[in-house]
Amino acid sequence: MNNEERYRSTLGGMTPSPAWQARTLAAMKQAQGQKRPSPKPLAIAATAAALALAVTGGVWLSGRMGADPDGPGVARTPEPVVTPTPSAPQAWNESFSIVTDPSQLMGKNPTAGRLDELTELKVYEEPSLTDDTLQRTLADALALEYGLTITDYQWDSLKDYHIPRPPTLTAQCADGSQIRLDGLGTQTVLFDPARQEEFEARLTHKLTAVSRATLAQEQLESYTFAGERYTSLQTFFVDDPTQPLSEQLYNYTFRRFSAQEGIVSQNTYPSVKGTYPLRSESDALASFRSGDYWGSHCTAHPDQAEILQVTIEYDFSAYPYIQPVYRILFTQDYWDEVIADWMHDGVDPSPFMGVGIAYVPAIDPKHQDEIPYYRLFNDAPAHHTPEDLN
């Protein structure tokens, strides 16, 4: 199966069922002329949702149409009932990933169950790049390391983007391979999948040659609306449980690489901005419960969510700062009804459940002005606030 066939197969499995589409089209025709409600802050079209699924393995449920409540003296046809109504209001506007067991999205973060050991952590900073000189030097070194020959460079400074982003350098290689650098912090190489083992061996040697440490493997999984398993990139990271937890987290973040189907990605070792105190786990959970959190997943009832796991990981989103964030894994019992409606015909929904991931900045809020945080989804800030719940 080539890349195009693989893409079409994956995208097809992540599209809501034909029955759901038919019901929705019927509802749209029946509701023509009725005013739609204003979209939620992060609402997106169905096509964009499917594309996001191919990257995140998540589910984004768009809002349903409703009658205009502000039309005095105008008779309006009630909204057609196209699906059973979930027990919780606004459930159809919520988003999550589909799994058969929450452990499929828990990973092997070393901070799980040990957050009380961390009271402060370092924040790292990407260097400010005004031209592509440093990136070209790094790309040349990577090409030499992987036995590639660069034939062309393309640089995008992204200076006109409304949210700061690291400049991107894309280097095309003679054999069709490609090296992509996002700033100096993230390196991605696309190559012939037949060389997968060769590239993995090179990176494994690179990470273990000095310390002679062992590598642990992490793989996250979720499912499509067709009931097909969607596997994220396999990640390998240096695992040394004898080190302090902060150092284990550093290894988990920076001494790692991901590899799958002709794509390898790794993070570099950044410079230190400083060491900052952490807000407590309970404070981060209180922020989530109030509706103040980040991420592509969302719920209208965070106060009712069942918390499955809380860890701290480093987030590369808020350029130029690579900072720790709380990763909160949660679920809602009424998501079962949504899954049952969206799964393809013939797929038994009973083995599946919805799991969401919320992010809360881990640095003490008093340093927020110095170390601002944001996270993007579909090129927009994915920030949920208490006002969104009203």
Side-chain angles (χ1 to χ4, degrees):
M1 180 181 291
N2 60 31
N3 288 338
E4 180 179 357
E5 291 170 335
R6 185 180 297 110
Y7 170 79
R8 292 181 181 276
S9 175
T10 300
L11 194 60
M14 292 175 174
T15 303
S17 67
W20 180 90
Q21 296 178 53
R23 290 197 303 271
T24 301
L25 285 174
M28 291 173 66
K29 291 179 180 179
Q30 193 168 348
Q32 278 183 343
Q34 296 185 20
K35 181 179 177 182
R36 296 188 184 203
S38 299
K40 298 291 285 181
L42 294 175
I44 56 177
T47 301
L51 291 175
L53 286 167
V55 177
T56 65
V59 179
W60 190 276
L61 307 182
S62 59
R64 295 177 184 266
M65 295 175 293
D68 182 3
D70 301 317
V74 179
R76 296 185 179 272
T77 304
E79 178 187 1
V81 178
V82 295
T83 57
T85 302
S87 55
Q90 301 183 29
W92 302 104
N93 288 329
E94 301 186 14
S95 60
F96 49 84
S97 289
I98 299 173
V99 299
T100 57
D101 188 279
S103 63
Q104 292 164 338
L105 288 180
M106 287 184 176
K108 295 184 178 180
N109 189 308
T111 68
R114 302 174 60 187
L115 292 177
D116 57 337
E117 298 178 35
L118 298 173
T119 58
E120 62 180 21
L121 282 172
K122 293 177 181 177
V123 171
Y124 302 93
E125 185 174 14
E126 279 257 36
S128 177
L129 302 177
T130 57
D131 58 46
D132 65 353
T133 303
L134 290 177
Q135 287 175 297
R136 283 199 181 208
T137 300
L138 178 55
D140 290 343
L142 288 172
L144 182 62
E145 179 181 345
Y146 292 121
L148 303 173
T149 302
I150 296 177
T151 57
D152 183 51
Y153 301 90
Q154 297 174 351
W155 192 63
D156 186 353
S157 69
L158 299 173
K159 63 181 180 180
D160 296 326
Y161 196 72
H162 65 285
I163 292 177
R165 279 190 167 184
T168 299
L169 178 74
T170 302
Q172 301 291 343
C173 301
D175 66 346
S177 299
Q178 185 182 95
I179 298 173
R180 176 188 168 99
L181 303 179
D182 295 297
L184 296 177
T186 303
Q187 309 164 6
T188 303
V189 183
L190 292 81
F191 53 91
D192 183 348
R195 300 181 64 190
Q196 184 79 35
E197 292 186 3
E198 172 194 345
F199 275 58
E200 287 186 18
R202 288 174 180 267
L203 286 167
T204 298
H205 176 75
K206 181 178 179 179
L207 289 177
T208 60
V210 177
S211 63
R212 300 192 182 279
T214 59
L215 293 184
Q217 180 178 345
E218 178 183 74
Q219 184 169 292
L220 305 182
E221 298 178 349
S222 58
Y223 287 79
T224 70
F225 293 119
E228 299 171 347
R229 187 172 64 180
Y230 174 84
T231 304
S232 70
L233 297 181
Q234 300 179 62
T235 300
F236 303 86
F237 61 94
V238 171
D239 182 27
D240 186 352
T242 66
Q243 295 182 326
L245 182 57
S246 59
E247 189 66 23
Q248 292 181 49
L249 180 58
Y250 179 88
N251 291 340
Y252 179 77
T253 305
F254 299 109
R255 303 185 66 195
R256 64 187 284 150
F257 69 89
S258 298
Q260 187 169 306
E261 297 184 353
I263 302 175
V264 296
S265 182
Q266 58 181 315
N267 301 324
T268 58
Y269 308 152
S271 60
V272 177
K273 163 71 174 175
T275 301
Y276 295 85
L278 302 177
R279 71 197 303 175
S280 66
E281 177 186 0
S282 60
D283 186 50
L285 285 173
S287 179
F288 166 68
R289 294 287 192 192
S290 74
D292 185 3
Y293 60 96
W294 295 74
S296 60
H297 293 164
C298 67
T299 175
H301 304 277
D303 57 317
Q304 300 176 14
E306 178 186 352
I307 305 300
L308 302 172
Q309 184 193 51
V310 183
T311 57
I312 286 181
E313 64 181 33
Y314 275 92
D315 193 337
F316 286 72
S317 301
Y319 175 81
Y321 303 114
I322 303 171
Q323 59 183 290
V325 296
Y326 282 98
R327 179 185 189 265
I328 302 170
L329 199 71
F330 67 96
T331 188
Q332 299 280 19
D333 55 6
Y334 56 80
W335 282 346
D336 290 347
E337 300 175 56
V338 182
I339 290 175
D341 183 51
W342 277 64
M343 296 300 282
H344 284 201
D345 293 342
V347 178
D348 179 10
S350 61
F352 302 102
M353 65 178 294
V355 173
I357 302 174
Y359 298 90
V360 175
I363 297 299
D364 190 308
K366 68 183 180 182
H367 296 282
Q368 185 174 7
D369 291 339
E370 181 184 358
I371 311 292
Y373 178 77
Y374 61 87
R375 189 180 186 90
L376 299 180
F377 179 70
N378 281 0
D379 286 336
H383 189 196
H384 306 276
T385 67
E387 288 74 21
D388 298 335
L389 303 179
N390 299 326

